[in-house]
Amino acid sequence: MHFPWDWLCLGVLIISSVTAGMENEENLDADVEVENFDKQSQEADVDREKSSLEVVYQTPKPTGEVYFTETFDEGLSGWVLSVTLKEDMDDNVAKYDGRWEVEELKENAMPGDRGLVLKSVAKYHAISAMLTKAFVFDDKPLIVQYEVNFQKGIDCGGAYIKLLSSSNDLNLEYFFDKTPYTIMFGPDKCGEDYKLHFIFRHKNPKTGEYDEKHAERPDIDLKKIYLDKKTHLYTLVLKPDDTFEILIDQTVVSKGSLLENMIPPVNPSKEIEDPTDKKPDDWDERPKIPDPNAVKPDDWDEDEPAKIEDPDAVKPEGWLDDEPQYVPDPNAKKPKDWDEEMDGEWEAPQIRNAKCETAPGCGEWVRPMKNNPKYKGKWRAPMIDNPNYQGIWSPRKIPNPDYFEDLHPFKMTAVSAIGLELWSMTSDIYFDNFIICSEKEVADRWAADSWGLKKLVASANEPGMFSQLVTAAEEHPWLWVLYILTLALPVGLTVLFCWPGKKSDEYIDFKKPDVSKQITKGKLKEETEEFEDDELEEEKENEDTDEDERREMEETKRDLIKDNTEKMGREASVSEGEGGEDISDEEEENGVPDEEENEVPDGSQEGDRSNKSDSEDEKKEADEGMGDRPLKSVRKRRVRKD
């Protein structure tokens, strides 16, 4: 049975069309922003071909209670540059003289949308601003959100912010690295160490000292985010139930508990090692020791060297003993400005001896070294289990005198200012759209009106799919192999299943009976006469054979009847049926057929006549058909006796 390839090809085309449609729908869905985008943002998302200049930017406005917002569209109003110096450093280096500017993005900019840009390289930068109102950690969440764009990538530097602790002596002009802060949050990178900081300073309730608690590293590849030169949205959410979430572009990349996922832990251990406890002098920590009963074997020679000269080595023929490997360059000349008093006697530079290049070697021939079969090295006693092993010693535990339990580390020191204190080896780091609030909906709406538009413009100006694939292949050349296989597979399947191929001989033979052959009346008459002649010859041969067989059967039958008559006279008491069985048995033994078999020759003759009649009928039908029907082969069955 031959597979319906046409249907298979049609199915492949249908599946390809459906798959392409699904991919297009997924791509469109992926471009739609998360939530709360206004009508203008959605329309900009649909029309991908519009230029960024056609997007009408409006400075976002907060829709709820906020503690701080900043878009920089009106400049640096309210921000204070630091004029102090870093401690324990040279005055020329310790200055916070890094330059800040308010500019539009270098790429995918929207008219009227500006941000704070770090401009200097290898300098300290410090700038800060007071919050609209201080945030107190009580029963409301804290949400901090802002945008960062590493417009030139990032080599070594940070883009994190600090929420400065409230205090009566807080002076923003003297903001520097030692200014007390409550939370530090944001990206940082140096070398190949990519970080996303979340640090909070926790106050020890017993000592009153502050310790930095670092969140565990997020399980995400930050390298691509930091180096793609796109604007990304960073969000920190702290909740009164002592949990936190860190989001990049409104996607959670890390979350946990302030009690369980900070390093070091907020609450210290209940027990500590006793600092006064010391290990006893006789404490044995060795699990294995040399066997004291082991003796060095008498044939162990520690003086045998590891390598010896090979006594079987032979100097190669043609070795030039008198030729050095290097000779002075005959073409070299002493420089004109060479001063022998200052530079010493001039010597030509050495070059390889040309004669050594065609010879096996030059100089004094030395036998090569080989491993010494007698070498055993320094003898050492084998190791055995230490019977006095006491395990690894550790000091005893005592109650921690500094132990405390803070069940609600969320209750941190209130914050009243925000600041950026940075050092960077890369310039043009872009900051924009800061917001500090307590409601996630307010932060999401703020992001939709600001970062959401930036993302839409950047997406509209991105190169096409083909350009992106080529760029990716340039970064990872192995992708070319994947592209070729991806394109060759559907083409190969299409050619294999849909291209018309040469039909096999078996298939042609199978189809032959379905082809009608037109036969003329004269040709049909000739073939019919030839067939009748062959049939008459076969009938004649069959009649002669049947006549001989009939005579033989009659003679055999007369002999059997004669013998049976004599036997039946002697055994009159034997039943006639038994005698019939004997006759039948003897007939079977002598190969005489029964009555049915005897009738076979007659039947054969009748069959011959019947076949002949059939042949005449077929001839008549063929004449009537006049070649309209194919010639049918008629074979006469022979009835032969086994």
Side-chain angles (χ1 to χ4, degrees):
M1 178 180 179
H2 292 270
F3 193 86
W5 298 117
D6 295 340
W7 287 105
L8 177 59
C9 295
L10 180 61
V12 171
L13 293 176
I14 293 175
I15 293 174
S16 302
S17 301
V18 174
T19 305
M22 294 175 63
E23 291 179 354
N24 291 335
E25 292 179 0
E26 292 176 357
N27 292 335
L28 292 175
D29 293 340
D31 292 333
V32 179
E33 294 305 316
V34 180
E35 57 182 351
N36 293 332
F37 270 59
D38 59 0
K39 186 175 182 179
Q40 179 184 4
S41 301
Q42 294 176 358
E43 292 175 354
D45 185 28
V46 173
D47 191 4
R48 290 289 184 180
E49 297 181 356
K50 286 187 177 181
S51 170
S52 61
L53 297 177
E54 298 180 9
V55 177
V56 179
Y57 169 78
Q58 295 181 353
T59 301
K61 304 293 183 182
T63 57
E65 182 183 11
V66 295
Y67 300 90
F68 180 78
T69 59
E70 181 59 77
T71 64
F72 300 104
D73 293 342
E74 303 298 330
L76 286 175
S77 176
W79 289 84
V80 179
L81 294 173
S82 178
V83 296
T84 189
L85 303 176
K86 290 179 67 71
E87 294 182 353
D88 304 327
M89 296 186 69
D90 186 76
D91 291 348
N92 295 328
V93 180
K95 293 181 180 180
Y96 284 96
D97 56 353
R99 188 164 58 92
W100 299 90
E101 296 289 346
V102 175
E103 300 175 348
E104 293 183 354
L105 282 169
K106 294 183 178 299
E107 296 181 1
N108 303 317
M110 293 183 293
D113 180 23
R114 302 193 296 171
L116 179 66
V117 181
L118 181 149
K119 301 297 292 185
S120 303
V121 176
K123 289 183 177 293
Y124 290 101
H125 303 70
I127 191 171
S128 56
M130 297 297 295
L131 303 186
T132 306
K133 60 179 179 179
F135 180 86
V136 179
F137 294 87
D138 46 20
D139 57 351
K140 291 184 178 180
L142 171 66
I143 299 175
V144 182
Q145 183 172 277
Y146 69 106
E147 302 169 13
V148 176
N149 187 324
F150 296 108
Q151 299 184 94
K152 294 183 178 179
I154 181 67
D155 182 20
C156 184
Y160 46 82
I161 63 173
K162 292 181 178 180
L163 300 184
L164 307 183
S165 303
S166 298
S167 64
N168 296 328
D169 58 350
L170 178 61
N171 187 344
L172 299 185
E173 290 186 352
Y174 296 96
F175 168 51
F176 71 129
D177 59 326
K178 299 296 178 63
T179 301
Y181 69 90
T182 301
I183 291 175
M184 188 174 90
F185 169 65
D188 189 16
K189 185 257 183 183
C190 196
E192 290 300 317
D193 188 12
Y194 298 84
K195 299 178 181 178
L196 181 58
H197 291 297
F198 165 45
I199 305 171
F200 77 92
R201 296 173 71 243
H202 179 260
K203 183 178 181 181
N204 188 318
K206 296 190 69 173
T207 63
E209 297 179 353
Y210 284 89
D211 296 321
E212 290 184 351
K213 309 297 180 182
H214 297 248
E216 297 174 352
R217 283 177 174 264
D219 187 15
I220 184 176
D221 182 14
L222 298 171
K223 181 176 181 179
K224 181 179 179 181
I225 298 174
Y226 290 4
L227 301 181
D228 62 4
K229 300 180 182 180
K230 295 180 180 180
T231 303
H232 293 284
L233 185 70
Y234 296 87
T235 308
L236 171 66
V237 180
L238 286 177
K239 300 179 181 179
D241 62 355
D242 302 300
T243 60
F244 68 89
E245 288 182 349
I246 299 174
L247 301 90
I248 300 179
D249 298 341
Q250 297 185 325
T251 300
V252 177
V253 298
S254 178
K255 62 181 179 179
S257 169
L258 299 177
L259 291 169
E260 299 175 359
N261 301 105
M262 306 303 293
I263 303 173
V266 170
N267 296 316
S269 302
K270 292 183 178 181
E271 293 183 335
I272 60 172
E273 295 180 350
D274 186 358
T276 63
D277 192 14
K278 296 183 179 180
K279 182 175 68 173
D281 296 336
D282 59 349
W283 190 277
D284 196 343
E285 294 182 336
R286 300 173 301 168
K288 298 282 187 179
I289 60 172
D291 185 359
N293 300 322
V295 179
K296 183 175 70 172
D298 296 336
D299 60 348
W300 193 285
D301 188 357
E302 296 182 350
D303 298 330
E304 286 286 345
K307 297 282 187 178
I308 60 173
E309 290 185 352
D310 186 0
D312 300 328
V314 179
K315 182 172 67 173
E317 294 183 2
W319 189 279
L320 305 178
D321 296 275
D322 299 331
E323 291 289 341
Q325 293 184 358
Y326 293 90
V327 295
D329 185 359
N331 299 323
K333 295 182 180 181
K334 183 173 69 172
K336 295 181 180 180
D337 58 349
W338 186 273
D339 188 350
E340 292 189 355
E341 294 182 359
M342 297 292 296
D343 302 327
E345 184 180 358
W346 180 82
E347 295 180 357
Q350 299 286 312
I351 61 173
R352 292 186 62 87
N353 192 342
K355 297 179 181 180
C356 297
E357 295 180 358
T358 57
C362 293
E364 183 182 359
W365 180 78
V366 180
R367 293 181 181 275
M369 304 297 287
K370 71 172 187 176
N371 293 328
N372 185 359
K374 298 180 180 180
Y375 173 74
K376 295 184 178 180
K378 186 175 179 59
W379 181 84
R380 300 179 185 277
M383 304 298 288
I384 62 172
D385 293 335
N386 185 2
N388 299 322
Y389 176 67
Q390 295 176 275
I392 303 299
W393 181 85
S394 60
R396 62 176 175 267
K397 298 287 187 179
I398 61 173
N400 186 359
D402 298 326
Y403 172 74
F404 64 86
E405 187 176 22
D406 184 358
L407 298 179
H408 299 290
F410 173 78
K411 297 184 179 299
M412 307 174 191
T413 304
V415 296
S416 58
I418 181 174
L420 291 87
E421 190 265 325
L422 305 169
W423 182 89
S424 177
M425 291 299 295
T426 308
S427 62
D428 291 326
I429 301 177
Y430 178 93
F431 301 85
D432 200 4
N433 296 317
F434 291 87
I435 184 171
I436 300 176
C437 60
S438 294
E439 300 178 16
K440 190 66 167 58
E441 294 77 10
V442 174
D444 289 342
R445 180 65 184 185
W446 177 270
D449 294 341
S450 54
W451 172 76
L453 293 179
K454 285 187 175 72
K455 185 177 180 182
L456 293 175
V457 172
S459 299
N461 295 333
E462 280 185 354
M465 179 64 68
F466 180 77
S467 299
Q468 295 182 24
L469 293 176
V470 173
T471 302
E474 291 176 352
E475 297 178 358
H476 306 284
W478 57 267
L479 286 175
W480 287 115
V481 178
L482 183 60
Y483 295 164
I484 294 173
L485 292 177
T486 303
L487 295 175
L489 182 60
V491 174
L493 291 177
T494 303
V495 172
L496 179 62
F497 294 123
C498 301
W499 196 266
K502 184 178 180 181
K503 298 182 179 179
S504 62
D505 295 339
E506 180 183 355
Y507 182 75
I508 294 174
D509 293 340
F510 178 78
K511 286 292 185 179
K512 275 184 177 180
D514 297 335
V515 181
S516 299
K517 295 177 65 177
Q518 300 296 330
I519 302 177
T520 61
K521 183 176 180 181
K523 187 175 181 181
L524 178 61
K525 184 176 181 180
E526 292 177 359
E527 292 180 355
T528 305
E529 291 176 353
E530 292 177 359
F531 174 74
E532 288 179 351
D533 294 340
D534 295 339
E535 188 179 37
L536 292 174
E537 291 178 359
E538 290 180 1
E539 289 179 358
K540 185 176 181 181
E541 292 176 358
N542 291 337
E543 289 176 358
D544 296 340
T545 303
D546 295 341
E547 185 66 25
D548 295 338
E549 291 177 354
R550 188 162 49 253
R551 284 197 297 268
E552 292 176 0
M553 290 169 57
E554 290 177 355
E555 292 175 359
T556 303
K557 186 175 181 181
R558 283 194 298 270
D559 294 338
L560 289 175
I561 292 173
K562 182 178 179 181
D563 294 339
N564 289 336
T565 303
E566 294 176 357
K567 187 175 182 180
M568 288 174 63
R570 292 190 299 268
E571 299 176 1
S573 61
V574 181
S575 63
E576 185 173 348
E578 293 177 352
E581 291 179 359
D582 295 338
I583 293 173
S584 178
D585 293 339
E586 291 179 5
E587 288 176 351
E588 292 179 0
E589 292 175 359
N590 292 298
V592 180
D594 55 14
E595 294 179 358
E596 293 180 358
E597 291 177 342
N598 293 335
E599 295 174 357
V600 171
D602 298 334
S604 177
Q605 294 177 0
E606 294 176 359
D608 293 339
R609 290 191 296 270
S610 176
N611 289 337
K612 185 175 182 181
S613 176
D614 294 340
S615 177
E616 293 176 353
D617 294 339
E618 291 172 359
K619 178 180 178 182
K620 183 178 181 181
E621 293 177 8
D623 292 336
E624 293 175 356
M626 294 299 292
D628 294 337
R629 291 174 296 178
L631 177 63
K632 297 182 180 180
S633 299
V634 181
R635 296 182 180 179
K636 181 174 66 64
R637 295 185 302 168
R638 298 179 181 180
V639 181
R640 296 184 179 276
K641 173 179 170 300
D642 293 336

